[in-house]
Amino acid sequence: MMARGMLYGGGSNFDQKQRDMYFSTAKEHLGSLFGPDCSSFFGSSSMVSFRGVNGGKRSFFDSFDQEDNEADELGEYFHQAEKKRRLTDNQVQFLEKCFGEENKLEPERKVQLAKELGLQPRQIAIWFQNRRARWKTKQLEKEYEELRNRYDDLKSNYNTLLKEKENLRVEVFQLTDKLLVKEKGNGQLTLCDIQKQSNASVEVTVADPISRVELSNVPSRILKQQKQEDLSSAKSDVFDSESPHYTDKRHSTFIDQGDSARVFETEQSDLSQDDDENFGKAMLSTANLLGKVEDDDYPATSSNMHYFGFPSDDQGFGFWTY
DNA sequence: TTGTGTTTTATTGCCTCC
DNA sequence: GGAGGCAATAAAACACAA
């Protein structure tokens, strides 16, 4: 493709006549915009600059204020047109103002701006194009920042809820065990006793490791015995049965002592390690807190495992820990 | 002064629209 | 098919630390 960008800058597309026209028109327009002394607009030493032959910096428009050398300077400028030149602060300021009003230019407006600023229409177009690109990048950064803030908020809320959940869980564990001890004191049976009495393999299916222990093989008379008093307050519903970490797919099985025990054998892998650790810690702390629980009383399937729990209502209740 | 990173200006190639 | 927009990129200009 023919380079569209080569429309100006020393090429034949921008002859001396056009340069004169742009320059005179620019001074005229900018004089009305920035006052009669528009030299400040056209440049100071800090404005559009390019390195001359001697290496020094020079403002392009400064040169036009020196009438004696005007033609020479102009010629020098355009002979160096292949070099990039930055726009002056005032030019940029003016363009920014226009961009604020409309970020896309009509062809007529583009030509008008070019005349007013003493630039090529193509330069105006390029400036707007680059400006749109910068604006878009900024917008993306802004949106990213907003999304990140929202994510952080959600994460923070989630962590808070998680802690709350753990606290409640520990609380329930403690209350549960107190009830357990109390029951034992009253001569009532625990799940462990039930197992001993039934003298049979007890398969415990845990729909939810905490709230849904199903004693499928426990004799019904014994289960009935266990459905008593005010244990309903410790019912499973305390727990978040909708928790994505504990679904009905989870279950565990334990076969009588001596057999290979698998406790809370998960079929899912979505239980995060943190959650597991917290869960274990909570149970351990509960166990330590309530040192009254004796291993012999529970059908632990390995020497370092302990069972905490009791059946309640239609559903059992209990958990294992190491 | 020089090396290096950033910003700005400009080019290129592709795409869409009229 | 030409004009113009956009994304990607080159390259000059600039800023700044060492």
Side-chain angles (χ1 to χ4, degrees), chain A residues 235-286:
Chain A
K235 275 178 66 176
S236 58
D237 296 340
V238 170
F239 295 101
D240 51 339
S241 57
E242 292 179 3
S243 166
H245 289 159
Y246 301 103
T247 69
D248 286 349
K249 285 186 179 177
R250 295 172 59 92
H251 75 272
S252 72
T253 304
F254 87 77
I255 314 295
D256 238 347
Q257 296 165 347
D259 212 327
S260 58
R262 293 190 300 275
V263 180
F264 290 153
E265 179 180 289
T266 60
E267 290 182 355
Q268 289 191 325
S269 60
D270 61 345
L271 183 65
S272 74
Q273 195 177 352
D274 284 349
D275 224 356
D276 265 344
E277 282 175 9
N278 291 336
F279 185 59
K281 281 177 188 169
M283 290 193 290
L284 275 175
S285 65
T286 307

Short mmCIF file of all heavy atoms in Angstrom, two decimals, chain A residues 235-286:
data_model
loop_
_atom_site.label_atom_id
_atom_site.label_comp_id
_atom_site.label_asym_id
_atom_site.label_seq_id
_atom_site.Cartn_x
_atom_site.Cartn_y
_atom_site.Cartn_z
N LYS A 235 -29.27 -29.58 65.73
CA LYS A 235 -29.51 -30.23 64.45
C LYS A 235 -28.61 -29.68 63.36
O LYS A 235 -28.05 -28.60 63.44
CB LYS A 235 -30.97 -30.05 64.03
CG LYS A 235 -31.87 -31.11 64.65
CD LYS A 235 -33.29 -30.86 64.27
CE LYS A 235 -33.52 -31.06 62.79
NZ LYS A 235 -34.93 -30.91 62.45
N SER A 236 -28.58 -30.47 62.38
CA SER A 236 -27.64 -30.18 61.31
C SER A 236 -27.90 -28.87 60.60
O SER A 236 -27.01 -28.30 60.00
CB SER A 236 -27.72 -31.29 60.28
OG SER A 236 -29.05 -31.35 59.83
N ASP A 237 -29.11 -28.40 60.63
CA ASP A 237 -29.43 -27.24 59.82
C ASP A 237 -28.64 -26.01 60.22
O ASP A 237 -28.66 -25.00 59.54
CB ASP A 237 -30.93 -26.94 59.89
CG ASP A 237 -31.71 -28.08 59.27
OD1 ASP A 237 -31.09 -28.84 58.48
OD2 ASP A 237 -32.89 -28.22 59.56
N VAL A 238 -28.00 -26.15 61.35
CA VAL A 238 -27.15 -25.04 61.75
C VAL A 238 -26.12 -24.78 60.68
O VAL A 238 -25.74 -23.66 60.41
CB VAL A 238 -26.46 -25.36 63.08
CG1 VAL A 238 -25.40 -24.34 63.40
CG2 VAL A 238 -27.49 -25.45 64.19
N PHE A 239 -25.72 -25.84 60.08
CA PHE A 239 -24.65 -25.70 59.10
C PHE A 239 -25.17 -25.34 57.73
O PHE A 239 -26.32 -25.56 57.40
CB PHE A 239 -23.86 -27.00 59.03
CG PHE A 239 -23.16 -27.27 60.32
CD1 PHE A 239 -23.67 -28.18 61.22
CD2 PHE A 239 -22.02 -26.55 60.64
CE1 PHE A 239 -23.03 -28.41 62.40
CE2 PHE A 239 -21.38 -26.78 61.82
CZ PHE A 239 -21.88 -27.72 62.72
N ASP A 240 -24.27 -24.81 57.02
CA ASP A 240 -24.64 -24.36 55.69
C ASP A 240 -24.68 -25.53 54.74
O ASP A 240 -23.71 -25.84 54.07
CB ASP A 240 -23.69 -23.30 55.20
CG ASP A 240 -22.24 -23.72 55.34
OD1 ASP A 240 -21.98 -24.64 56.15
OD2 ASP A 240 -21.41 -23.17 54.64
N SER A 241 -25.80 -26.14 54.68
CA SER A 241 -25.90 -27.32 53.83
C SER A 241 -25.75 -26.96 52.36
O SER A 241 -25.59 -27.83 51.52
CB SER A 241 -27.23 -28.01 54.05
OG SER A 241 -28.27 -27.11 53.79
N GLU A 242 -25.83 -25.69 52.06
CA GLU A 242 -25.68 -25.30 50.67
C GLU A 242 -24.25 -24.97 50.33
O GLU A 242 -23.94 -24.59 49.21
CB GLU A 242 -26.56 -24.09 50.37
CG GLU A 242 -28.03 -24.42 50.44
CD GLU A 242 -28.87 -23.21 50.16
OE1 GLU A 242 -28.30 -22.15 49.87
OE2 GLU A 242 -30.10 -23.33 50.24
N SER A 243 -23.42 -25.11 51.32
CA SER A 243 -22.01 -24.82 51.05
C SER A 243 -21.50 -25.64 49.91
O SER A 243 -21.71 -26.84 49.84
CB SER A 243 -21.19 -25.12 52.30
OG SER A 243 -19.82 -25.16 51.96
N PRO A 244 -20.84 -24.99 48.99
CA PRO A 244 -20.33 -25.72 47.83
C PRO A 244 -19.28 -26.73 48.22
O PRO A 244 -18.95 -27.61 47.46
CB PRO A 244 -19.72 -24.61 46.96
CG PRO A 244 -19.42 -23.50 47.92
CD PRO A 244 -20.48 -23.60 48.97
N HIS A 245 -18.76 -26.60 49.43
CA HIS A 245 -17.72 -27.52 49.84
C HIS A 245 -18.27 -28.83 50.36
O HIS A 245 -17.58 -29.82 50.43
CB HIS A 245 -16.84 -26.88 50.92
CG HIS A 245 -15.99 -25.80 50.36
ND1 HIS A 245 -15.45 -24.83 51.13
CD2 HIS A 245 -15.61 -25.55 49.10
CE1 HIS A 245 -14.73 -24.02 50.37
NE2 HIS A 245 -14.82 -24.43 49.15
N TYR A 246 -19.49 -28.78 50.76
CA TYR A 246 -20.08 -30.00 51.31
C TYR A 246 -21.39 -30.27 50.62
O TYR A 246 -22.38 -29.65 50.86
CB TYR A 246 -20.30 -29.85 52.82
CG TYR A 246 -19.03 -29.57 53.54
CD1 TYR A 246 -18.74 -28.30 53.98
CD2 TYR A 246 -18.12 -30.59 53.75
CE1 TYR A 246 -17.55 -28.04 54.65
CE2 TYR A 246 -16.93 -30.33 54.40
CZ TYR A 246 -16.65 -29.07 54.85
OH TYR A 246 -15.49 -28.83 55.50
N THR A 247 -21.37 -31.23 49.77
CA THR A 247 -22.59 -31.54 49.05
C THR A 247 -23.01 -32.95 49.40
O THR A 247 -22.31 -33.70 50.07
CB THR A 247 -22.37 -31.46 47.53
OG1 THR A 247 -21.52 -32.54 47.17
CG2 THR A 247 -21.71 -30.15 47.15
N ASP A 248 -24.18 -33.30 48.93
CA ASP A 248 -24.71 -34.61 49.24
C ASP A 248 -23.88 -35.73 48.63
O ASP A 248 -24.06 -36.89 48.95
CB ASP A 248 -26.15 -34.70 48.73
CG ASP A 248 -27.04 -33.90 49.64
OD1 ASP A 248 -26.56 -33.49 50.72
OD2 ASP A 248 -28.19 -33.66 49.27
N LYS A 249 -23.02 -35.39 47.74
CA LYS A 249 -22.22 -36.43 47.12
C LYS A 249 -21.14 -36.94 48.07
O LYS A 249 -20.59 -38.01 47.87
CB LYS A 249 -21.55 -35.88 45.86
CG LYS A 249 -22.49 -35.74 44.69
CD LYS A 249 -21.73 -35.33 43.47
CE LYS A 249 -22.66 -35.20 42.28
NZ LYS A 249 -21.92 -34.74 41.10
N ARG A 250 -20.88 -36.15 49.06
CA ARG A 250 -19.82 -36.56 49.97
C ARG A 250 -20.35 -37.65 50.89
O ARG A 250 -21.45 -37.61 51.36
CB ARG A 250 -19.36 -35.37 50.80
CG ARG A 250 -18.70 -34.29 49.98
CD ARG A 250 -18.47 -33.10 50.87
NE ARG A 250 -17.65 -33.44 52.01
CZ ARG A 250 -16.34 -33.31 52.02
NH1 ARG A 250 -15.73 -32.84 50.97
NH2 ARG A 250 -15.65 -33.66 53.07
N HIS A 251 -19.56 -38.60 51.14
CA HIS A 251 -19.95 -39.60 52.09
C HIS A 251 -18.70 -40.26 52.62
O HIS A 251 -17.63 -40.18 52.05
CB HIS A 251 -20.87 -40.63 51.46
CG HIS A 251 -20.15 -41.58 50.56
ND1 HIS A 251 -19.95 -41.29 49.24
CD2 HIS A 251 -19.59 -42.77 50.79
CE1 HIS A 251 -19.30 -42.29 48.67
NE2 HIS A 251 -19.04 -43.21 49.60
N SER A 252 -18.87 -40.92 53.74
CA SER A 252 -17.75 -41.68 54.26
C SER A 252 -18.26 -43.01 54.74
O SER A 252 -19.43 -43.21 55.01
CB SER A 252 -17.06 -40.93 55.40
OG SER A 252 -17.89 -40.97 56.52
N THR A 253 -17.36 -43.92 54.86
CA THR A 253 -17.73 -45.26 55.29
C THR A 253 -16.71 -45.72 56.29
O THR A 253 -15.53 -45.49 56.13
CB THR A 253 -17.71 -46.21 54.10
OG1 THR A 253 -18.57 -45.69 53.10
CG2 THR A 253 -18.16 -47.58 54.51
N PHE A 254 -17.19 -46.29 57.35
CA PHE A 254 -16.21 -46.97 58.17
C PHE A 254 -16.69 -48.36 58.49
O PHE A 254 -17.84 -48.61 58.77
CB PHE A 254 -15.85 -46.15 59.42
CG PHE A 254 -16.74 -46.37 60.60
CD1 PHE A 254 -16.62 -47.50 61.38
CD2 PHE A 254 -17.69 -45.42 60.92
CE1 PHE A 254 -17.43 -47.68 62.47
CE2 PHE A 254 -18.50 -45.60 62.02
CZ PHE A 254 -18.38 -46.74 62.81
N ILE A 255 -15.79 -49.27 58.37
CA ILE A 255 -16.07 -50.66 58.71
C ILE A 255 -15.48 -50.87 60.10
O ILE A 255 -14.65 -50.08 60.55
CB ILE A 255 -15.39 -51.61 57.71
CG1 ILE A 255 -15.65 -51.10 56.29
CG2 ILE A 255 -15.89 -53.02 57.88
CD1 ILE A 255 -17.08 -51.13 55.87
N ASP A 256 -15.90 -51.88 60.74
CA ASP A 256 -15.49 -52.08 62.12
C ASP A 256 -13.98 -52.01 62.31
O ASP A 256 -13.20 -52.06 61.37
CB ASP A 256 -15.98 -53.44 62.60
CG ASP A 256 -16.84 -53.24 63.81
OD1 ASP A 256 -16.83 -52.13 64.37
OD2 ASP A 256 -17.50 -54.20 64.19
N GLN A 257 -13.63 -51.93 63.57
CA GLN A 257 -12.22 -51.78 63.90
C GLN A 257 -11.37 -52.84 63.22
O GLN A 257 -11.76 -53.96 63.04
CB GLN A 257 -12.04 -51.90 65.42
CG GLN A 257 -12.75 -50.77 66.12
CD GLN A 257 -12.91 -51.06 67.59
OE1 GLN A 257 -12.70 -52.19 68.02
NE2 GLN A 257 -13.27 -50.06 68.34
N GLY A 258 -10.22 -52.45 62.92
CA GLY A 258 -9.32 -53.38 62.29
C GLY A 258 -9.41 -53.35 60.79
O GLY A 258 -8.49 -53.75 60.11
N ASP A 259 -10.53 -52.92 60.35
CA ASP A 259 -10.66 -52.85 58.91
C ASP A 259 -10.07 -51.53 58.42
O ASP A 259 -9.78 -50.63 59.16
CB ASP A 259 -12.14 -52.94 58.53
CG ASP A 259 -12.28 -53.64 57.21
OD1 ASP A 259 -11.39 -53.48 56.36
OD2 ASP A 259 -13.29 -54.34 57.05
N SER A 260 -9.91 -51.51 57.13
CA SER A 260 -9.37 -50.27 56.57
C SER A 260 -10.44 -49.20 56.64
O SER A 260 -11.47 -49.30 56.02
CB SER A 260 -8.94 -50.50 55.13
OG SER A 260 -10.05 -50.94 54.39
N ALA A 261 -10.15 -48.24 57.43
CA ALA A 261 -11.15 -47.18 57.64
C ALA A 261 -10.93 -46.03 56.69
O ALA A 261 -9.82 -45.62 56.45
CB ALA A 261 -11.06 -46.68 59.07
N ARG A 262 -12.01 -45.58 56.15
CA ARG A 262 -11.93 -44.38 55.32
C ARG A 262 -12.94 -43.40 55.84
O ARG A 262 -14.14 -43.64 55.80
CB ARG A 262 -12.21 -44.72 53.86
CG ARG A 262 -11.13 -45.59 53.25
CD ARG A 262 -11.34 -45.67 51.76
NE ARG A 262 -12.64 -46.24 51.44
CZ ARG A 262 -12.84 -47.56 51.38
NH1 ARG A 262 -11.87 -48.38 51.60
NH2 ARG A 262 -14.03 -48.01 51.08
N VAL A 263 -12.44 -42.38 56.37
CA VAL A 263 -13.32 -41.41 56.99
C VAL A 263 -13.41 -40.17 56.13
O VAL A 263 -12.43 -39.63 55.68
CB VAL A 263 -12.78 -41.03 58.37
CG1 VAL A 263 -13.68 -40.02 59.03
CG2 VAL A 263 -12.63 -42.28 59.21
N PHE A 264 -14.63 -39.77 55.90
CA PHE A 264 -14.86 -38.61 55.05
C PHE A 264 -14.16 -38.78 53.71
O PHE A 264 -13.49 -37.92 53.22
CB PHE A 264 -14.39 -37.30 55.69
CG PHE A 264 -15.25 -36.90 56.84
CD1 PHE A 264 -14.73 -36.13 57.85
CD2 PHE A 264 -16.58 -37.30 56.91
CE1 PHE A 264 -15.52 -35.73 58.92
CE2 PHE A 264 -17.36 -36.90 57.96
CZ PHE A 264 -16.85 -36.14 58.99
N GLU A 265 -14.33 -39.95 53.24
CA GLU A 265 -13.71 -40.19 51.95
C GLU A 265 -14.45 -39.38 50.90
O GLU A 265 -15.58 -39.67 50.53
CB GLU A 265 -13.82 -41.69 51.64
CG GLU A 265 -13.24 -42.05 50.30
CD GLU A 265 -13.41 -43.53 50.09
OE1 GLU A 265 -12.72 -44.29 50.78
OE2 GLU A 265 -14.24 -43.93 49.28
N THR A 266 -13.83 -38.37 50.46
CA THR A 266 -14.52 -37.44 49.58
C THR A 266 -14.54 -37.92 48.16
O THR A 266 -13.59 -38.51 47.67
CB THR A 266 -13.85 -36.06 49.61
OG1 THR A 266 -12.51 -36.24 49.17
CG2 THR A 266 -13.87 -35.48 50.99
N GLU A 267 -15.63 -37.66 47.54
CA GLU A 267 -15.73 -37.95 46.12
C GLU A 267 -15.51 -36.69 45.31
O GLU A 267 -15.50 -36.71 44.11
CB GLU A 267 -17.09 -38.53 45.80
CG GLU A 267 -17.26 -39.92 46.37
CD GLU A 267 -18.59 -40.49 46.00
OE1 GLU A 267 -19.40 -39.79 45.40
OE2 GLU A 267 -18.81 -41.66 46.32
N GLN A 268 -15.38 -35.62 46.01
CA GLN A 268 -15.17 -34.36 45.33
C GLN A 268 -13.83 -33.79 45.73
O GLN A 268 -13.31 -34.07 46.79
CB GLN A 268 -16.25 -33.36 45.71
CG GLN A 268 -17.59 -33.73 45.12
CD GLN A 268 -18.54 -32.60 45.28
OE1 GLN A 268 -18.49 -31.91 46.29
NE2 GLN A 268 -19.40 -32.40 44.32
N SER A 269 -13.35 -33.02 44.89
CA SER A 269 -12.06 -32.41 45.18
C SER A 269 -12.19 -30.91 45.37
O SER A 269 -11.22 -30.20 45.37
CB SER A 269 -11.09 -32.69 44.05
OG SER A 269 -11.60 -32.16 42.86
N ASP A 270 -13.43 -30.46 45.52
CA ASP A 270 -13.60 -29.01 45.57
C ASP A 270 -13.45 -28.46 46.97
O ASP A 270 -13.64 -27.28 47.21
CB ASP A 270 -14.98 -28.63 45.03
CG ASP A 270 -16.08 -29.25 45.83
OD1 ASP A 270 -15.81 -30.20 46.62
OD2 ASP A 270 -17.22 -28.81 45.69
N LEU A 271 -13.12 -29.30 47.89
CA LEU A 271 -12.91 -28.80 49.24
C LEU A 271 -11.51 -28.22 49.30
O LEU A 271 -10.54 -28.93 49.14
CB LEU A 271 -13.05 -29.93 50.25
CG LEU A 271 -12.92 -29.54 51.71
CD1 LEU A 271 -14.05 -28.62 52.11
CD2 LEU A 271 -12.87 -30.77 52.57
N SER A 272 -11.44 -26.95 49.52
CA SER A 272 -10.13 -26.32 49.50
C SER A 272 -9.28 -26.81 50.64
O SER A 272 -9.78 -27.23 51.67
CB SER A 272 -10.28 -24.80 49.58
OG SER A 272 -10.63 -24.44 50.87
N GLN A 273 -8.00 -26.74 50.44
CA GLN A 273 -7.08 -27.20 51.47
C GLN A 273 -7.23 -26.36 52.72
O GLN A 273 -7.22 -26.88 53.83
CB GLN A 273 -5.66 -27.12 50.95
CG GLN A 273 -4.69 -27.90 51.81
CD GLN A 273 -3.32 -27.86 51.22
OE1 GLN A 273 -3.13 -27.37 50.12
NE2 GLN A 273 -2.35 -28.36 51.94
N ASP A 274 -7.40 -25.07 52.54
CA ASP A 274 -7.57 -24.19 53.68
C ASP A 274 -8.77 -24.59 54.50
O ASP A 274 -8.75 -24.67 55.71
CB ASP A 274 -7.72 -22.75 53.21
CG ASP A 274 -6.37 -22.18 52.80
OD1 ASP A 274 -5.36 -22.85 53.08
OD2 ASP A 274 -6.35 -21.10 52.21
N ASP A 275 -9.83 -24.85 53.77
CA ASP A 275 -11.05 -25.23 54.45
C ASP A 275 -10.84 -26.51 55.23
O ASP A 275 -11.27 -26.66 56.36
CB ASP A 275 -12.16 -25.41 53.42
CG ASP A 275 -13.44 -24.77 53.89
OD1 ASP A 275 -13.47 -24.26 55.01
OD2 ASP A 275 -14.41 -24.81 53.14
N ASP A 276 -10.17 -27.43 54.60
CA ASP A 276 -9.88 -28.68 55.27
C ASP A 276 -9.05 -28.47 56.51
O ASP A 276 -9.33 -29.04 57.57
CB ASP A 276 -9.10 -29.60 54.31
CG ASP A 276 -10.04 -30.55 53.58
OD1 ASP A 276 -11.19 -30.69 54.06
OD2 ASP A 276 -9.63 -31.12 52.58
N GLU A 277 -8.04 -27.64 56.36
CA GLU A 277 -7.16 -27.38 57.49
C GLU A 277 -7.92 -26.72 58.63
O GLU A 277 -7.81 -27.11 59.79
CB GLU A 277 -6.00 -26.50 57.05
CG GLU A 277 -4.95 -27.29 56.30
CD GLU A 277 -3.85 -26.39 55.77
OE1 GLU A 277 -3.84 -25.20 56.14
OE2 GLU A 277 -3.02 -26.88 55.00
N ASN A 278 -8.71 -25.72 58.28
CA ASN A 278 -9.48 -25.03 59.31
C ASN A 278 -10.44 -25.99 59.99
O ASN A 278 -10.61 -25.97 61.20
CB ASN A 278 -10.26 -23.87 58.69
CG ASN A 278 -9.34 -22.77 58.24
OD1 ASN A 278 -8.23 -22.65 58.76
ND2 ASN A 278 -9.76 -21.98 57.29
N PHE A 279 -11.05 -26.79 59.16
CA PHE A 279 -11.98 -27.76 59.69
C PHE A 279 -11.28 -28.69 60.68
O PHE A 279 -11.73 -28.91 61.80
CB PHE A 279 -12.56 -28.55 58.52
CG PHE A 279 -13.64 -29.51 58.91
CD1 PHE A 279 -14.80 -29.04 59.53
CD2 PHE A 279 -13.51 -30.85 58.65
CE1 PHE A 279 -15.81 -29.92 59.87
CE2 PHE A 279 -14.52 -31.72 59.00
CZ PHE A 279 -15.67 -31.26 59.61
N GLY A 280 -10.13 -29.19 60.26
CA GLY A 280 -9.38 -30.09 61.12
C GLY A 280 -8.92 -29.41 62.39
O GLY A 280 -9.02 -29.97 63.48
N LYS A 281 -8.46 -28.17 62.24
CA LYS A 281 -7.99 -27.44 63.41
C LYS A 281 -9.12 -27.23 64.40
O LYS A 281 -8.96 -27.36 65.61
CB LYS A 281 -7.41 -26.09 62.98
CG LYS A 281 -6.01 -26.19 62.43
CD LYS A 281 -5.56 -24.83 61.96
CE LYS A 281 -4.24 -24.93 61.21
NZ LYS A 281 -3.90 -23.68 60.54
N ALA A 282 -10.26 -26.87 63.86
CA ALA A 282 -11.41 -26.63 64.72
C ALA A 282 -11.76 -27.87 65.51
O ALA A 282 -12.02 -27.82 66.71
CB ALA A 282 -12.61 -26.19 63.87
N MET A 283 -11.71 -28.99 64.84
CA MET A 283 -12.05 -30.23 65.52
C MET A 283 -10.98 -30.62 66.52
O MET A 283 -11.28 -31.10 67.61
CB MET A 283 -12.23 -31.34 64.47
CG MET A 283 -13.49 -31.12 63.65
SD MET A 283 -13.93 -32.55 62.69
CE MET A 283 -12.66 -32.57 61.50
N LEU A 284 -9.74 -30.38 66.14
CA LEU A 284 -8.67 -30.70 67.07
C LEU A 284 -8.74 -29.85 68.32
O LEU A 284 -8.59 -30.33 69.44
CB LEU A 284 -7.31 -30.50 66.39
CG LEU A 284 -6.81 -31.68 65.57
CD1 LEU A 284 -5.52 -31.30 64.87
CD2 LEU A 284 -6.59 -32.89 66.48
N SER A 285 -9.01 -28.56 68.09
CA SER A 285 -9.10 -27.68 69.26
C SER A 285 -10.26 -28.09 70.13
O SER A 285 -10.20 -28.03 71.36
CB SER A 285 -9.25 -26.24 68.81
OG SER A 285 -10.46 -26.08 68.13
N THR A 286 -11.32 -28.52 69.48
CA THR A 286 -12.45 -29.01 70.26
C THR A 286 -12.07 -30.24 71.05
O THR A 286 -12.40 -30.38 72.23
CB THR A 286 -13.62 -29.36 69.32
OG1 THR A 286 -13.88 -28.23 68.51
CG2 THR A 286 -14.85 -29.72 70.11
#
